[in-house]
Structures are given as C-alpha cells and as structure tokens.
C-alpha cells in the first residue's frame, strides 16, 4: 500500500514535518510495510523553505543582512535546492529578513524596509542562482519592495534630485526611478513569488488598508501609506509605461508583489500551486492508494485556493491522468468547521475529514496535538485494514 502524506502545519502545535513523522508512526503501528512518501508543505509563510529543502534536498547558508529597519542587521538563511542541474534554484523566505513576529512592540510600516530581501537575492545571484522562489508571507513592511530593489541596484530620486532608499513612509517623496542596473543584474533569472492573496496595491482592498493595521498602522497612517503606494505606482508607470497597481496580488507583502511583476519581470503564483509543482505532486499522487493531508482548522476556505483545496484538485487531476476512478484524500484537522460536517467524521465526495481533538479545550488540544494525531491516524489505518480483510 502506497500512502502519500502532504500536510500543512497546525499553527502553534505541529509543523508540517512533525505531522508527517507522527502520521507515519501511527500508520506503521498497523501497516508496518506501507510504502510512505512524505511531502510537508507550506503556503509561502514561515517554514516554507524548510519544507521545500526537506522534500527536494538542498541546503541553506547563513548570511547577515539588513533587518526590518535600515541600519539594523539580522542573520538569515538563503536556501538552495540541490536539483543536480546547472540551473541553481534559490529559495528566499522574505520574512527571515523583515518578518512581523520578530518586531514585538516596534511595529511601524512607515519605517520598515525590504532592503534585506534584496541583499538575500544578491547573495543568491552571486552563488550562481538562475531561478528565485520568493515566499511573501509574514511581512512587516509596506514599502512596495523599494528597499529590496534598492539593494539590487535600483535608484530612487527625491524631489531634490538626491538618491535615497524609500520606506513606506517616504514613498510619496519618490520623484523618479531608474531600474536599469537592477534589471541588467536580473537578466536571465526566473523569479517566482509565492502569493496567496489577490489584493491590488492601492485602495480599500489594497495592502495598506487590509494589512497595514496588522503591522502597526492606525487609521491615519493607513491613508498616508495608501497615498504613498498610489504615488509610487504612478511614478513606476511613468518610468515603465505600464500600470500594475491593480494587478491581482500586487498588494502582497506590503507591495512586494507589485515590485516583482512591475519592475523585476517576475511571476506571482499560488503558494500551493508552486510547492506542489516543485514536488511533482501530481505524478506522486497518481501512484498512491491514499493521500493524507491536514491543517489546524478545516472549513470552506480550506478548499478556496489554500493547501487542502490544491491537494484535492491535483489529486483529482492525477486520477484522471492515470485513468483511475478515485484516489481517496483523507484530511486530519484539529477543528472541523466545514458547514457540511455531521459530527466527528464527515464524508464528502473524494475526501473524508477526521477531527483529531473533538470535545477538547483548545489549550489541551494544542498541547496534545501529536498524541491526538497519532491516535486518529492509527484508528483510520485500522479501518483500512479491516475493510481490506472484509
């Protein structure tokens, strides 16, 4: 029996890698000779690089870059996939440089910068990378990627004609920009940004209005930041001849998505689509008898472009490709909040859901997630064996 384990993390209690190990242990108690393939996943947030490197093979290197504020230093990791080809792929987890959780009480999207991300990219290029995978989750910034681009050679000039590095609070001071040196440096380099939001850069659904409050902005600052983003988008449009401010995902990571598509010739791609593509998931699923996945809370949103939705869709496609009627997908979750739920276990077309901590208080459930998961997976495996015997 071939079982593919492809989970997201249970935030605060289980990493995706931990899930894989615990689930494997539960299965082997019942089916010791099972052929198990583990593919921990992440959607572009914290831990994405580790998941990719654990599955595909690779390594990370520590370097010192600018942190969330200009003038500060931070030690980060840059990942490299060991793909055995001349094309070296680097994984840049942008939050390593300017992630929101690291700031504590110092949150201020007027001052935070993406400069360190640019330094990470610069390092990857010096190491020979020809493909960059950027994860955009967990940003503390709202600078439209200007810091990142400045570190790569882009030039931003103020109304006084002087060169400077903009932050979210000084985007309105940008009078002109020159991307030629940066674009020459990035020539021949493929850039894929993992992005699971569709927000434009500006307006009521833009990065400032939707995400800046989480990063420390009050209502007045939100308006100020949004005006800066609008101004900067206009300056970029004047320079490049194209307006990407309404591009879906341009507002990701405080405008990093905008920088990627408008100035760096990059591509924004769904996080789950990107990672499943890297893993060659569809081919693996086509040979599986069962696909196991999971996340902390399962609800309607889980099927709307998020990890489990992508896994169900790609598994269906794999079944069609190999001309199989169905490849069962089994979801283990901490909380089943799907509207079609009918108790502890709810069955839906082509996948089933198991709530591993039914009836438990949240704090207890989170602290006992490994035990709950192993017990649930073991019971599921016993049902499979019983079903086969019958």
């Amino acid at each position: 029996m071939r079982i593919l384990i492809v989970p997201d993390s249970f935030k605060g209690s289980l990493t995706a890698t931990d899930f894989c190990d615990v689930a494997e242990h539960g299965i082997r108690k019942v089916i010791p000779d099972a052929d198990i393939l583990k593919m921990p996943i992440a959607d572009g947030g914290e831990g994405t690089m580790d998941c990719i490197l654990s599955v595909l093979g690779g390594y990370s290197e520590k370097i010192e870059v600018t942190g969330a504020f200009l003038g500060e230093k931070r030690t980060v990791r840059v990942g490299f996939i060991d793909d055995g080809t001349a094309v070296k792929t680097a994984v840049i987890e942008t939050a390593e440089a300017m992630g929101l959780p690291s700031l504590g009480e110092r949150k201020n999207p007027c001052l935070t910068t993406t400069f360190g991300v640019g330094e990470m990219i610069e390092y990857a290029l010096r190491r020979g990378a020809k493909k960059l995978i950027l994860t955009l989750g967990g940003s503390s910034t709202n600078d439209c990627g200007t810091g990142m681009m400045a570190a790569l050679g882009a030039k931003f000039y103020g109304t006084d004609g002087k060169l400077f590095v903009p932050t979210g609070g000084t985007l309105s001071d940008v009078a002109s920009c020159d991307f030629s040196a940066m674009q020459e440096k990035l020539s021949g380099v493929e850039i894929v940004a993992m992005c699971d939001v569709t927000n434009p850069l500006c307006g009521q659904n833009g990065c400032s209005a939707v995400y800046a409050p989480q990063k420390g902005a009050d209502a007045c600052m939100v308006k100020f930041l949004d005006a800066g983003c609008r101004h900067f988008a206009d300056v970029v449009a004047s320079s490049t001849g194209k307006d990407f401010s309404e591009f879906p995902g341009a507002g990701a990571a405080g405008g990093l998505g905008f920088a990627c598509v408008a100035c760096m010739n990059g591509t924004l791609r769904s996080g789950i689509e990107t990672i499943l593509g890297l893993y060659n998931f569809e081919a693996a699923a086509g040979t599986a008898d069962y696909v196991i996945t999971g996340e902390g809370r399962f609800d309607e949103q889980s099927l709307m472009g998020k990890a489990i939705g992508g896994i169900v869709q790609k598994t269906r496609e794999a079944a069609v490709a190999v001309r199989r009627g169905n490849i069962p997908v089994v979801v283990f979750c901490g909380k089943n909040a799907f509207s079609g739920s009918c108790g502890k276990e709810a069955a839906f077309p082509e996948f089933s859901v198991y709530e591993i901590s039914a009836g438990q208080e949240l704090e207890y459930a989170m602290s006992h997630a490994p035990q709950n998961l192993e017990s649930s997976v073991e019971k599921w495996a016993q049902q499979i064996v019983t079903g086969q015997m019958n």
Side-chain angles (χ1 to χ4, degrees):
M1 180 182 294
R2 185 173 175 83
I3 301 173
L4 181 56
I5 307 177
V6 199
D8 201 347
S9 64
F10 283 32
K11 287 182 173 58
S13 57
L14 273 175
T15 67
T17 301
D18 289 339
F19 182 113
C20 287
D21 294 340
V22 170
E24 179 183 22
H25 193 256
I27 292 168
R28 293 205 184 281
K29 283 183 175 180
V30 182
I31 315 172
D33 60 346
D35 180 11
I36 297 174
L37 179 59
K38 298 184 288 187
M39 292 183 172
I41 61 173
D43 59 6
E46 182 181 359
T48 299
M49 178 175 67
D50 289 332
C51 287
I52 292 174
L53 297 182
S54 72
V55 174
L56 298 183
Y59 55 94
S60 63
E61 297 178 356
K62 290 184 177 182
I63 60 172
E64 188 175 70
V65 300
T66 301
F69 300 95
L70 290 169
E72 292 189 358
K73 292 297 181 181
R74 183 173 179 82
T75 299
V76 301
R77 297 172 303 147
V78 177
F80 296 95
I81 297 173
D82 187 11
D83 53 14
T85 71
V87 178
K88 184 177 287 188
T89 299
V91 184
I92 309 290
E93 194 164 302
T94 63
E96 289 243 335
M98 43 64 176
L100 186 61
S102 67
L103 297 190
E105 298 300 317
R106 299 193 303 154
K107 298 174 184 176
N108 189 335
C110 277
L111 299 179
T112 46
T113 181
T114 55
F115 198 91
V117 176
E119 292 174 311
M120 294 167 75
I121 293 173
E122 175 80 32
Y123 179 82
L125 297 177
R126 291 201 307 269
R127 297 283 284 112
K130 292 297 181 183
K131 180 175 181 178
L132 304 174
I133 298 172
L134 308 182
T135 73
L136 302 189
S139 158
S140 67
T141 56
N142 208 91
D143 71 349
C144 293
T146 51
M148 171 183 68
M149 293 189 288
L152 290 169
K155 293 179 172 60
F156 301 98
Y157 298 94
T159 53
D160 57 2
K162 293 182 179 180
L163 192 66
F164 77 113
V165 178
T167 61
T170 57
L171 289 174
S172 293
D173 297 333
V174 178
S176 62
C177 47
D178 179 0
F179 301 119
S180 58
M182 177 186 71
Q183 290 172 345
E184 181 178 354
K185 186 175 295 185
L186 294 173
S187 177
V189 177
E190 181 185 359
I191 300 174
V192 176
M194 296 176 67
C195 171
D196 280 328
V197 302
T198 58
N199 304 78
L201 183 64
C202 311
Q204 63 180 359
N205 294 317
C207 60
S208 303
V210 177
Y211 301 109
Q214 304 168 14
K215 304 173 183 182
D218 58 19
C220 183
M221 187 186 292
V222 165
K223 292 181 180 179
F224 176 70
L225 290 168
D226 187 59
C229 290
R230 180 70 270 169
H231 171 81
F232 180 69
D234 290 341
V235 172
V236 171
S238 296
S239 175
T240 64
K242 295 181 180 180
D243 183 0
F244 282 89
S245 61
E246 295 299 318
F247 193 89
L256 261 180
F258 174 80
C260 288
V261 296
C263 312
M264 300 169 68
N265 197 33
T267 302
L268 302 185
R269 189 176 300 164
S270 154
I272 187 61
E273 179 183 325
T274 302
I275 205 163
L276 292 182
L278 286 170
Y279 289 178
N280 199 15
F281 169 80
E282 194 171 327
T287 66
D289 294 296
Y290 294 93
V291 173
I292 289 178
T293 186
E295 63 178 355
R297 177 185 172 87
F298 179 75
D299 56 26
E300 283 77 9
Q301 293 301 312
S302 301
L303 303 178
M304 303 286 287
K306 291 190 176 182
I308 291 180
I311 289 165
V312 170
Q313 179 182 345
K314 290 298 181 183
T315 302
R316 288 172 178 166
E317 292 173 4
V320 171
V322 297
R323 299 182 179 181
R324 291 173 59 183
N326 181 35
I327 301 172
V329 177
V330 185
V331 180
F332 291 92
C333 61
K335 175 68 174 178
N336 182 8
F338 194 83
S339 63
S341 173
C342 56
K344 183 177 180 181
E345 177 186 347
F348 306 97
E350 298 190 3
F351 66 96
S352 55
V353 183
Y354 292 80
E355 185 176 278
I356 69 172
S357 54
Q360 297 177 358
E361 295 293 331
L362 178 61
E363 184 177 348
Y364 181 91
M366 291 184 68
S367 64
H368 289 76
Q371 298 94 319
N372 289 336
L373 176 61
E374 183 172 337
S375 175
S376 295
V377 171
E378 184 179 350
K379 290 176 182 176
W380 168 79
Q382 289 171 342
Q383 292 173 354
I384 295 302
V385 170
T386 301
Q388 289 179 333
M389 291 174 64
N390 293 336

